[in-house]
Structures are given as C-alpha cells and as structure tokens.
Amino acid sequence: MSSSKKAKSALISVFHKDGLESIVKKLNALGIKIYSTGGTEKFIKDLEINVIPVEDLTSYPSILGGRVKTLHPKVFGGILSRRENEEDIKQLQQYEIPEMDIVIVDLYPFEKTVASDATEQEIIEKIDIGGISLIRAAAKNFKDVICVSSMNQYDEFLKILNENNGATNLIQRKNFAAKAFNVSSHYDTSIFNYFNADHNIASLKISETNGKILRYGENPHQKGFFFGDFDAIFDKLHGKELSYNNLLDVDAAVNLINEFKSDIPTFAILKHNNACGIAQRDTISQAYIDALAGDPQSAFGGVLIANTKIDVATATEIHKLFCEVVIAPSYENEALSILKGKKNRIILIQKDIIFPETTVRSCLNGVLVQDRDLKTDTKEILSQATELNPSKNEIEDLLFASKICKHTKSNTIVLVKNKQLCASGTGQTSRVDALNQAITKAQYFNFDLKGAVMASDAFFPFPDSVEIAGNVGITAVIQPGGSIKDQLSIDYCNEHNMSMVFTGIRHFKH
C-alpha cells in the first residue's frame, strides 16, 4: 500500500472561519467534493463554491438547536472505513456512504467562554460533541484520513495541499493525528477542570499546549522545557532567550513583588529564588540603590524587579550592574534605550494577571498539589505577645520583613531596618543557623542592626534566637507563634525591652 493518498472528499465543520477561505478555494480547484453543515456550510456557499449539506447525506436535519448535526453512521462510516478492508468497502457501498478523506474541524471555544462572564448554560453549550467526535474518528483512521483539528493548523495544511495537489503521505497524516489527539485531550481536560473546580474529585489533569524547548535544564547536561503561556504574563522587549534558571528566578521575583503591588516604589533583586536586596523608598531609583546595598556581590547576574515604572535615573544605575533580567510594569523610553545597551540583558514588562490558586511540583513518582499561599500578614492580624508594643515604624518594618520572609527558602530569618533588607538567612537546617547567617551577612555589608527588626517564617522552639537577636540590637520580632515554649521567648523579650508580635500564620517555603 502506497502511503500517498489523493483526497477526493472533505468534511468541514469549524467554529472559526478565519483562514478557511484559502483552503476551501484550493479544495474546490482540486475537484475535491466538500461536505459541510450549519455556519460553515453558509460560509462556503457565500464564496460561491459548491458544498453538499450533511443533511442531504444523512437525510436528517440539524436537531436540538444544533446539538446534533454530524453524529450519524453516514458521516462516521465514511471517516472510519478502512480503505483496504473489503468488508468495510462492501458496507459503504451497501449503505451508500461516501468516503471522507479530509476532516477539518475547529472546536467551540470552551476555555474562552469559561474565562468570560458567560453563564453556566452558555458554558455548557460550548462543550463540543460532534466536533470532538469527528476529530477522534479522523485521527484514529490516520492511515486513510487527514484530520485538521484546529484553525492553528490551517496554514500548514494549505501548504501541503499546494505542494502535493491534494495528496498526503502517511507521515503527514500521522503527524496531524498526533496534533488532533493533543487538541482533543486538552479540550477534555479543560472541561473536567471546569466541573471539578472545587477539587472534590482527587484527580489531577494538567494540559499545556504552549511548549518551548529551553537551551538546557538546571544544568547543561539536562534537557529543559517550559510549558505555559509566557506571553500572557510578560512582553519581552529585549535580550536573549530565558533559561530554565532565569524562569525560576523570574517566577520568584514576580511572586515577591506582587506583595508590594500597590505600595510606594519598591525594588527587589533576586538570586537563586531568594531576595538578596529589597527596599522601599519615595523614588524607584533610591529604592534600587538601597536594594543593591543589601548585597552588591550577590546582585551580580541577578534578576531585578520593580513595582513601578523604571525611569532614566534608575536605568542609569542598573546599567552599571551585570544582571540577567530586568522586570517592571513599564519603562520610560530613554530608560529603555539605556537598558538595551547590553545585548543579552532580558527586559520584560510584567502584565497585570492573576496566577492560578494552586501550585504543582514533582515528588517521588508523582506530584504534590497545594493551595497557593495567598495570605499576606497585615497589621489587623497581629497579636501583641510582649509587654512592649512595637512602634509605628517598627510595625511597618515587621510587615515588610514578613512579606520577604514568606518568599524566602526555609528555614529563614529576615532582618529589616527602615524598609530595607539588611540580610536574610536562607534555606538553613536550623533557625539559629539562619539567624547567624543573616547577622554575619548584615555586618559584612556594614549594616547597623540597632533598631532593626526580625521576621521568622515559623515559630521559635527555644528562646536562643531572640537572645542572639537582642544581643546585636534588634528591637522587634514578628513570628507565627504556636510553640509550646513560646513563653520562654516572650519572657526574654520582656526582660530585655524587646517587642514581639504573633501572626498565627506560618510561611514555610521548601
């Protein structure tokens, strides 16, 4: 059997008509018989091209408000018949069923309807039944039929028609079949996730059709891929392609800066998913300068992010630093020209979008899924644990530190003074180690910790951490509380004129 097959007939039933005209005209020029129904049939007729209504083939009209149009043996028999099977051929002849060599379908836009303000009934009506069935049938019988399952495939299919005068080979048909099952499985996943929005069914279905091959994974010997709609989150204005590690740092940066979305100018610098500098000031340029002062060494090759427009003054300072990525909601034109002075520097505009409410990560031979940590510590939830109240400025610093702490690898301690990160201890196996790391780093960069505040992502099991903190001049502490030995830490603070507040919320990040 030759793998090349010249088409004699085509069934077309699509939602989106954009790009279809050229295909229809080419099919007609090649003498390929066209079957269609509903809006697609009208579209073809308006082109003054002969089209056979599916109703004429089935002797049944479109019924139930268009819910049933193509679901009929005379349609599916022509798609599923095996051209080399004598019994199949006899049955087609017996029941006067024409072979369908090309099936072109574009499904109802279910995902877009869900994302709109549509009612439940409108959403349900956008669950395609006939179209999805046509796709599965045509893809299953790829040895004889080519299935075009999305408007995104129109151009590729038209090229094949033009180059081969309506003929397709087995490799092409199998390739289109794979794309068809990609379309159908993604469609069904979207429908399931809509019905299981409350997660009552403990089943995980993820489908991402936007895939990108990265240069490599975390290390050069590892393959890497990104699956997601990057362009929905960012406009990339300049620079090289983002790497696997760039994407992880960008993810961490965006999640951190979102905590300060509506605040005064805030600038953060991240390295290996953790903030090595962050500050909040009256101007974004001063916020950058003070963020950089937090750790100018680690900032080299880092990811920079601002919560407001980057101006010329800020860009001029940034340009002195080698950094991988700069992210902001907007840029002054001249600032953008300055930043583009490094050809590989990645410049992104962050769009205003809402991220999924669940997170997923691989674990053992499966995955872990959890709710995203959407709780942000605020003044209203604080409970005073000590006799001494923190001052107004200390409360502002405590909340600033707590936001950073939430987005830093556990175990972590964050030290802040005047809305500037002095240092953090990140990813340590004990809270004392994290604190000592933070103090050592802050002192190395000449921070005066007298009057600074401390944030912890989890409770203190012993009073040693507050004692170490007090000895270097830290005056206020924020932590979740909840240890059976909380009172020991409270007593130490009371005895040494320190204030402490509890949030009641732990922010582990592993």
Side-chain angles (χ1 to χ4, degrees), residues 400-418:
F400 186 82
S402 177
K403 290 177 180 179
I404 301 168
C405 203
K406 172 183 170 182
H407 295 278
T408 306
K409 293 291 185 182
S410 299
N411 286 312
T412 184
I413 292 290
V414 170
L415 306 181
V416 163
K417 186 175 181 180
N418 299 326

Side-chain angles (χ1 to χ4, degrees), residues 52-63:
I52 302 170
V54 167
E55 292 84 349
D56 289 358
L57 174 62
T58 64
S59 299
Y60 273 91
S62 172
I63 62 173

Side-chain angles (χ1 to χ4, degrees), residues 238-259:
H238 182 74
K240 63 183 180 180
E241 291 298 311
L242 281 90
S243 69
Y244 183 99
N245 293 328
N246 287 155
L247 289 166
L248 287 175
D249 282 335
V250 166
D251 176 71
V254 167
N255 282 297
L256 173 61
I257 209 68
N258 281 349
E259 298 285 350

Side-chain angles (χ1 to χ4, degrees), residues 345-415:
R345 179 182 287 148
I346 299 163
I347 304 174
L348 304 174
I349 288 180
Q350 182 184 347
K351 300 177 184 178
D352 188 13
I353 74 159
I354 298 174
F355 286 96
E357 294 185 358
T358 56
T359 63
V360 181
R361 65 190 297 181
S362 60
C363 180
L364 300 175
N365 62 347
V367 295
L368 286 171
V369 180
Q370 67 170 349
D371 293 337
R372 186 181 292 272
D373 185 356
L374 297 175
K375 289 187 179 293
T376 297
D377 297 338
T378 61
K379 184 178 179 180
E380 290 71 26
I381 70 167
L382 302 181
S383 63
Q384 181 184 336
T386 52
E387 296 169 358
L388 180 65
N389 277 328
S391 68
K392 179 179 179 293
N393 287 341
E394 284 176 330
I395 288 175
E396 289 179 355
D397 275 352
L398 287 168
L399 293 174
F400 186 82
S402 177
K403 290 177 180 179
I404 301 168
C405 203
K406 172 183 170 182
H407 295 278
T408 306
K409 293 291 185 182
S410 299
N411 286 312
T412 184
I413 292 290
V414 170
L415 306 181

Side-chain angles (χ1 to χ4, degrees), residues 373-505:
D373 185 356
L374 297 175
K375 289 187 179 293
T376 297
D377 297 338
T378 61
K379 184 178 179 180
E380 290 71 26
I381 70 167
L382 302 181
S383 63
Q384 181 184 336
T386 52
E387 296 169 358
L388 180 65
N389 277 328
S391 68
K392 179 179 179 293
N393 287 341
E394 284 176 330
I395 288 175
E396 289 179 355
D397 275 352
L398 287 168
L399 293 174
F400 186 82
S402 177
K403 290 177 180 179
I404 301 168
C405 203
K406 172 183 170 182
H407 295 278
T408 306
K409 293 291 185 182
S410 299
N411 286 312
T412 184
I413 292 290
V414 170
L415 306 181
V416 163
K417 186 175 181 180
N418 299 326
K419 293 185 179 177
Q420 178 186 22
L421 175 63
C422 300
S424 59
T426 63
Q428 298 302 302
T429 52
S430 81
R431 208 150 297 283
V432 170
D433 285 347
L435 175 56
N436 285 327
Q437 181 191 49
I439 291 170
T440 300
K441 189 173 182 180
Q443 292 173 338
Y444 179 80
F445 290 112
N446 299 314
F447 280 98
D448 180 4
L449 293 177
K450 291 180 180 178
V453 307
M454 173 173 73
S456 174
D457 59 341
F459 64 63
F460 297 111
F462 303 102
D464 47 6
S465 291
V466 291
E467 181 178 354
I468 295 168
N471 288 337
V472 295
I474 289 167
T475 55
V477 180
I478 186 170
Q479 59 137 321
S483 169
I484 59 174
K485 295 184 178 181
D486 274 344
Q487 193 60 45
L488 296 177
S489 295
I490 294 170
D491 290 342
Y492 183 88
C493 289
N494 286 335
E495 292 166 7
H496 294 82
N497 205 35
M498 296 171 68
S499 63
M500 180 185 290
V501 293
F502 289 168
T503 65
I505 301 171

